[in-house]
Amino acid sequence: MPATFTGFPINRRAQVALELYTTERSYVRGLETILQLFKKPCEENKLLDKKEAQTIFGNIQDIYVVNKDVLFMLLERISHWHDQQCLGDIFADQSFKIIDRMKIYAKYCNNYDSADTLYKQKIKKKEFESFLNSCYEHQVCQPGLNLPAYLITVVQRIPRYLLLLEDFFKRTPENHPDHGNLSKALTKMSNLAVYINNQLQTVVGQKAMVELRSRVIGLKAFEVPGRALIKEADVLLPGSKKTRKCLLFNDMLVFAAKGVTKTSEVEQTLELATLWCMDLEGNNPQSGLPV
């Protein structure tokens, strides 16, 4: 698969399109390296058991399949480049379903912290460290890149698409046949980034809930599917000198009274649907009066 194209136009729009292709080519080659150089030998040589391999590499095989399709579509367009050539439909056209298929990135991103934690544990083992060092000397491994550097490229890819598509859109005139599809592609990619971030925040909140159980007595009774922690803080309620722990969830507010030990106990809950908020600006949050 070519890295460059002789005589390719030098105007900015064409060069951004070429960058979209070359970064995709490099990215997909990186995924292939992860799968063939790292993951497969780890499993075959039992350096990682099945669960450990799943934790470190996640659903990278599924992601590779999607992005290989994107790469071949970009190659076809770049190979036959002309001023009226289009790229927006690759991401916007429902028949390709590329953005829908890329929702699997959420699963990988949700698992990334667990993968990083396990890697840091496994790298302490001499056999695993020696295996990785031998991989880094292989000709297909990019100099200076280690396994974590390869794995994080997956997390970074969606934001990179957004930047490139935004630049490409800016370079595309309104009367160009690709303008409408590029606008749709940008919206869909932006929505995908929001979806992935929301999924990640939900997972983070769920993990925080597990940790909170040991510190807040009575909290387990309020655990329901879809409820996730957004913010935790100590607050002083009006008319009280006693500090309380405030837990803001996506659908409710919980106040817990602090005990003499490090634990707290649920004292009051408020459904967010029944609350209204007011910006106090420069006012004292306890009295509502100007500071």
Side-chain angles (χ1 to χ4, degrees):
M1 196 167 285
T4 58
F5 296 83
T6 304
F8 200 79
I10 61 173
N11 66 79
R12 185 56 186 162
R13 182 175 186 272
Q15 288 298 306
V16 174
L18 183 60
E19 185 179 0
L20 188 56
Y21 163 74
T22 55
T23 57
E24 189 70 19
R25 177 180 178 271
S26 176
Y27 175 61
V28 170
R29 289 183 69 180
L31 296 180
E32 289 174 343
T33 299
I34 294 171
L35 292 170
Q36 298 300 319
L37 186 62
F38 296 106
K39 184 175 184 291
K40 187 177 179 181
C42 271
E43 294 173 329
E44 291 178 345
N45 298 320
K46 303 194 183 304
L47 292 169
L48 298 173
D49 61 35
K50 188 174 181 179
K51 185 177 180 181
E52 289 173 333
Q54 181 61 41
T55 298
I56 288 182
F57 298 104
N59 59 334
I60 209 162
Q61 175 68 49
D62 298 329
I63 290 172
Y64 169 70
V65 171
V66 175
N67 283 89
K68 190 168 68 169
D69 288 347
V70 174
L71 177 59
F72 277 107
M73 284 189 278
L74 287 172
L75 174 62
E76 194 277 330
R77 306 294 176 88
I78 296 297
S79 299
H80 302 88
W81 189 259
H82 52 82
D83 287 345
Q84 298 300 301
Q85 184 62 283
C86 300
L87 298 181
D89 60 304
I90 292 175
F91 301 96
D93 197 321
Q94 271 301 106
S95 63
F96 297 142
K97 296 186 182 299
I98 292 299
I99 300 292
D100 288 341
R101 293 171 64 192
M102 283 184 173
K103 285 183 178 179
I104 60 175
Y105 271 77
K107 183 178 180 180
Y108 184 92
C109 294
N110 291 345
N111 180 70
Y112 180 75
D113 284 346
S114 297
D116 187 55
T117 299
L118 180 57
Y119 165 81
K120 289 174 180 176
Q121 294 172 1
K122 299 297 290 187
I123 197 64
K124 295 175 183 178
K125 296 183 180 296
K126 189 70 176 177
E127 186 179 11
F128 190 68
E129 182 185 24
S130 298
F131 163 73
L132 290 183
N133 287 334
S134 67
C135 290
Y136 301 149
E137 295 174 1
H138 197 285
Q139 60 181 3
V140 303
C141 192
Q142 293 185 48
L145 290 189
N146 58 12
L147 180 56
Y150 274 104
L151 294 175
I152 200 172
T153 61
V154 183
V155 177
Q156 297 167 334
R157 191 56 190 162
I158 300 301
R160 185 71 183 275
Y161 279 133
L162 268 175
L163 291 175
L164 288 170
L165 286 174
E166 284 173 356
D167 197 9
F168 192 60
F169 182 65
K170 284 193 299 184
R171 313 289 173 178
T172 303
E174 288 187 17
N175 61 351
H176 193 284
D178 202 22
H179 192 273
N181 276 329
L182 277 173
S183 179
K184 293 177 184 177
L186 263 176
T187 298
K188 286 190 173 187
M189 192 64 75
S190 180
N191 289 342
L192 175 62
V194 171
Y195 168 78
I196 292 172
N197 185 63
N198 288 342
Q199 291 288 305
L200 182 59
Q201 292 304 314
T202 297
V203 170
V204 170
Q206 289 170 345
K207 289 180 179 178
M209 279 287 285
V210 174
E211 190 271 332
L212 274 173
R213 285 185 206 157
S214 62
R215 297 190 287 113
V216 182
I217 300 170
L219 188 61
K220 186 172 176 59
F222 297 96
E223 287 188 41
V224 297
R227 179 170 290 159
L229 180 69
I230 296 174
K231 184 77 174 178
E232 175 185 357
D234 290 338
V235 298
L236 276 172
L237 297 179
S240 174
K241 296 182 179 181
K242 186 177 180 181
T243 302
R244 287 172 172 76
K245 184 171 291 298
C246 177
L247 305 173
L248 174 63
F249 294 93
N250 57 333
D251 63 341
M252 71 182 299
L253 199 60
V254 174
F255 293 101
K258 287 189 165 186
V260 292
T261 63
K262 292 183 178 181
T263 61
S264 304
E265 186 171 357
V266 173
E267 184 178 66
Q268 184 180 13
T269 63
L270 298 170
E271 300 291 332
L272 292 188
T274 65
L275 301 179
W276 59 274
C277 300
M278 181 177 68
D279 188 353
L280 295 176
E281 297 179 348
N283 292 355
N284 187 314
Q286 296 302 312
S287 65
L289 297 175
V291 176

